[in-house]
Amino acid sequence: MTKPLKFTNVQRSTFFATARERADAYFKERNLSRHANGAMWAKTIFFLTAFVVTYGLIMSNQFSVPVMAALAAVLGAICAFIGFNVCHDAMHGSFSANKHVNKGLGLVFNLIGASPYVWNITHNVVHHTYTNIAGHDEDIEVAPGLIRLDEQEPVRWIQRFQHWYAFPVYGLASLSWVLRKDYVKFFQPKIGQQVANHPRREYFNLFFYKAIYYVLFIVLPLVVLDITWWQFIIGFVGMHFVEGLVLGLVFQLAHVVEGTAFPLPNEQGDMLEAWAVHQMRTTANFSPNSRLASFLCGGLNRQIEHHLFPKVCHIHYPALAHILRATAHEFGVPYLENETFLGALKSHRRMLRRLGAGAYAEAQKPRTRVAA
């Protein structure tokens, strides 16, 4: 059984207290809300409109099968961007000061096939607390036995090739989420260290909203569209492959690149560092100066700012980045960044190769005996 884990600030670091004080001063001096501004609402309207229009174009049955397949792929990307830009902030409570607005926008998560309730436990609670800690952060358990991201996990022969096949596997993440993952997580005895004790209404919500999704994306297309069953499968899988690949890459490039740590607790179940310092060691930004990346990824290209200030809307992350970077350098705390998406992608692939092929080659080396 996994021992309860806690963070012990043995260094008595005041890094986070200082960063938080400076962030508070930034908003107060400028009389700014920490929540969505006009630009954020414009993004929200744009992506939600794109979702409705693209879905409507497919369901109009006015296009050829290849065009509908292309629209399905576009819809998959839009679903991922809605998850990043709208639902993610809403479910963290950072979109609006009004909890009803956050809850309403969080429900949109059901329309991309995922349960906001399960996500809140796996991501907001478990991942954000125990980032990159094996046995606690289930987000690094992408495909156990197939993809190795934990140095403590035994290496298997097939993982020699994981730097090639990992990316197609990421593309299956959304399909798994819709058809399997939410059910598995919901009925697990524990998620990370969180004991499953779900309110009765959440049992209804899980199946009710999944049913709505299946009707919208499986039943109606099969009934309305002039396509065969196998053409539907190609479109459905293609949509989720694009969605899953986008979702998977944004997560992996933030936590599984060169420089990020995968620390373990001591025998007493303690992490001998402050929680905020742990976040800085296990998280990296990518394409931080790219407006396109910030627009599409909902600020999740600045995961450092997100992990330290999850209750602040991502539209404010560029300003927080200046504060965090300077404070991190002042306190000697890591501030990890890959300047470009391609650079982060290459770094992630090198990590996969080291943890797969490199680890397997090392394990095959003969052990030299020590003379008695």
Side-chain angles (χ1 to χ4, degrees):
M1 181 179 294
T2 304
K3 293 182 179 179
L5 185 152
K6 62 181 184 293
F7 291 89
T8 305
N9 187 4
V10 295
Q11 301 294 329
R12 298 291 188 266
S13 172
T14 59
F15 157 71
F16 188 43
T18 304
R20 188 166 49 192
E21 182 180 326
R22 292 172 179 175
D24 290 343
Y26 167 81
F27 287 106
K28 186 176 181 180
E29 290 168 3
R30 292 161 178 78
N31 194 28
L32 291 175
S33 167
R34 295 166 177 264
H35 303 292
N37 57 16
M40 180 64 186
W41 277 105
K43 284 180 68 174
T44 300
I45 293 169
F46 172 81
F47 282 115
L48 292 180
T49 301
F51 174 86
V52 172
V53 169
T54 307
Y55 179 81
L57 288 174
I58 295 171
M59 296 303 294
S60 71
N61 204 25
Q62 298 300 307
F63 300 96
S64 66
V65 171
V67 171
M68 284 195 287
L71 286 171
V74 171
L75 185 59
I78 291 170
C79 286
F81 298 145
I82 287 174
F84 295 149
N85 285 276
V86 182
C87 304
H88 187 247
D89 276 47
M91 290 185 292
H92 271 292
S94 62
F95 192 103
S96 172
N98 187 321
K99 65 179 182 180
H100 298 295
V101 172
N102 289 324
K103 184 175 181 179
L105 291 174
L107 288 175
V108 176
F109 210 49
N110 291 293
L111 293 181
I112 64 176
S115 164
Y117 173 76
V118 175
W119 169 266
N120 180 64
I121 299 173
T122 60
H123 179 80
N124 294 8
V125 178
V126 176
H127 169 66
H128 269 262
T129 304
Y130 308 113
T131 311
N132 278 17
I133 302 177
H136 295 268
D137 182 5
E138 296 191 6
D139 277 6
I140 63 174
E141 298 174 6
V142 178
L146 192 61
I147 296 179
R148 182 176 183 265
L149 301 178
D150 173 16
E151 291 188 347
Q152 305 304 310
E153 179 187 335
V155 61
R156 303 167 184 263
W157 70 270
I158 194 171
Q159 292 162 344
R160 293 177 296 168
F161 311 106
Q162 69 174 13
H163 55 290
W164 292 109
Y165 65 68
F167 300 101
V169 171
Y170 297 159
L172 300 177
S174 177
L175 197 62
S176 172
W177 211 341
V178 167
L179 301 175
R180 173 185 174 274
K181 180 180 176 179
D182 279 337
Y183 302 113
V184 171
K185 296 294 183 185
F186 190 88
F187 289 103
Q188 282 180 185
K190 294 175 70 176
I191 300 176
Q193 291 195 54
Q194 299 298 117
V195 177
N197 186 21
H198 310 304
R200 188 171 298 177
R201 68 179 179 274
E202 294 302 338
Y203 287 84
F204 170 80
N205 288 343
L206 176 66
F207 292 100
F208 176 72
Y209 286 113
K210 286 287 187 183
I212 289 177
Y213 182 85
Y214 297 151
V215 168
L216 289 174
F217 287 89
I218 298 177
V219 176
L220 285 181
L222 284 171
V223 170
V224 172
L225 300 181
D226 186 21
I227 56 175
T228 63
W229 64 268
W230 60 267
Q231 289 170 333
F232 162 77
I233 289 176
I234 291 174
F236 185 75
V237 171
M239 177 184 73
H240 278 289
F241 184 84
V242 172
E243 183 178 345
L245 186 61
V246 174
L247 291 169
L249 285 179
V250 167
F251 174 80
Q252 299 298 344
L253 300 190
H255 295 292
V256 190
V257 291
E258 293 162 312
T260 54
F262 290 79
L264 293 171
N266 63 15
E267 293 181 358
Q268 288 71 45
D270 292 338
M271 301 297 297
L272 301 181
E273 60 185 352
W275 169 83
V277 174
H278 172 85
Q279 297 301 316
M280 300 297 285
R281 293 180 57 220
T282 57
T283 307
N285 291 345
F286 66 89
S287 301
N289 300 314
S290 168
R291 291 185 178 182
L292 180 61
S294 295
F295 181 79
L296 295 177
C297 297
L300 294 183
N301 55 317
R302 291 187 179 274
Q303 283 271 353
I304 293 173
E305 286 66 39
H306 172 60
H307 271 252
L308 269 292
F309 296 100
K311 294 295 184 181
V312 175
C313 180
H314 75 260
I315 207 77
H316 302 294
Y317 288 173
L320 291 179
H322 294 294
I323 296 170
L324 269 178
R325 186 185 293 108
T327 308
H329 291 166
E330 180 181 332
F331 281 83
V333 173
Y335 188 91
L336 307 173
E337 285 188 313
N338 283 293
E339 290 300 319
T340 66
F341 175 83
L342 184 59
L345 193 65
K346 290 179 177 179
S347 180
H348 175 60
R349 189 172 183 274
R350 287 193 293 268
M351 280 282 286
L352 287 172
R353 187 164 191 160
R354 179 176 69 80
L355 291 167
Y360 185 83
E362 189 65 29
Q364 298 306 303
K365 289 182 179 178
R367 299 286 184 258
T368 56
R369 291 187 177 182
V370 178

